[in-house]
Amino acid sequence: MELIYNTWPWYVAGPLIALVMFLLLKMGKKFGMSSNLRAMCSIGGAGKFSDFFKYDWKSSKWNLYVVAGVIVGGIIAFQFLTPHAPQVHPDVVDQLQGLGITSTNTSFLPTELFSLESLLTLKGFSILLIGGFLVGFGARYAGGCTSGHAISGISDLQLPSLIAVIGFFIGGLVMIHLIFPIIF
């Protein structure tokens, strides 16, 4: 059981991801989570309002099964397989406490950002609303999200995916080192 509770080492998880990507490429499939939002909007009838959503979403319905598996797997893992919150390195805990995030090592997500109490404040609601918009816009503008570009696109040796991933890392560094301290 400890095998399931603990994180898997890179030399196990990495080859498994590579194997899945190889099989998807052999089958002519592209993996990505954000493209499922387009499919769900298309299923919901958004094609009546925008041509962007008029496409054959059934050709990528296998990807919707992946999303359903991720959601169900996450629920199962949270409910039955993860008895303790992940432990973060003490140096990171100190840095986060300096920013006012004190829930590290006690919850799976920082409650200062992801809790009902936070959502019901103007600051918390604004952060989630603006952050969600920026993530959605960025994923659409970049032609995919981090999983699509970093896992699938780079596996397919696509230069635009490499450029997008470099941009994601630069954006993440700017966010955490320059913008995050201003917000908190």
Side-chain angles (χ1 to χ4, degrees):
M1 201 63 177
E2 285 300 314
L3 177 69
I4 295 176
Y5 283 139
N6 293 326
T7 56
W8 290 2
W10 66 267
Y11 52 83
V12 173
L16 287 175
I17 292 171
L19 176 65
V20 170
M21 287 299 105
F22 175 77
L23 293 174
L24 288 174
L25 289 173
K26 287 295 279 182
M27 293 186 294
K29 307 287 185 189
K30 292 182 181 178
F31 173 76
M33 289 294 166
S34 61
S35 60
N36 291 302
L37 294 173
R38 181 182 183 202
M40 287 188 266
C41 289
S42 183
I43 293 169
K48 296 175 187 170
F49 307 102
S50 173
D51 290 341
F52 177 72
F53 298 107
K54 290 181 182 175
Y55 79 105
D56 181 24
W57 63 266
K58 292 179 182 175
S59 64
S60 62
K61 68 180 177 184
W62 68 273
N63 217 0
L64 293 171
Y65 294 127
V66 173
V67 170
V70 167
I71 292 170
V72 171
I75 291 170
I76 290 171
F78 182 75
Q79 293 297 322
F80 303 110
L81 299 178
T82 53
H84 306 291
Q87 299 301 297
V88 178
H89 193 276
D91 292 343
V92 175
V93 171
D94 289 341
Q95 291 175 3
L96 289 172
Q97 286 178 344
L99 296 172
I101 300 196
T102 58
S103 62
T104 310
N105 290 342
T106 59
S107 63
F108 287 89
L109 295 171
T111 56
E112 293 82 1
L113 295 171
F114 301 100
S115 66
L116 186 58
E117 293 80 24
S118 174
L119 181 64
L120 296 177
T121 65
L122 178 62
K123 180 179 177 181
F125 182 77
S126 299
I127 289 171
L128 290 178
L129 182 68
I130 294 169
F133 173 78
L134 290 174
V135 167
F137 176 78
R140 197 65 267 148
Y141 189 71
C145 62
T146 53
S147 63
H149 281 297
I151 298 172
S152 186
I154 289 180
S155 297
D156 199 19
L157 303 176
Q158 294 182 17
L159 181 61
S161 290
L162 178 62
I163 294 169
V165 169
I166 291 170
F168 294 149
F169 273 98
I170 292 171
L173 290 172
V174 168
M175 177 62 197
I176 200 65
H177 291 291
L178 300 178
I179 300 173
F180 196 83
I182 294 171
I183 296 174
F184 290 95

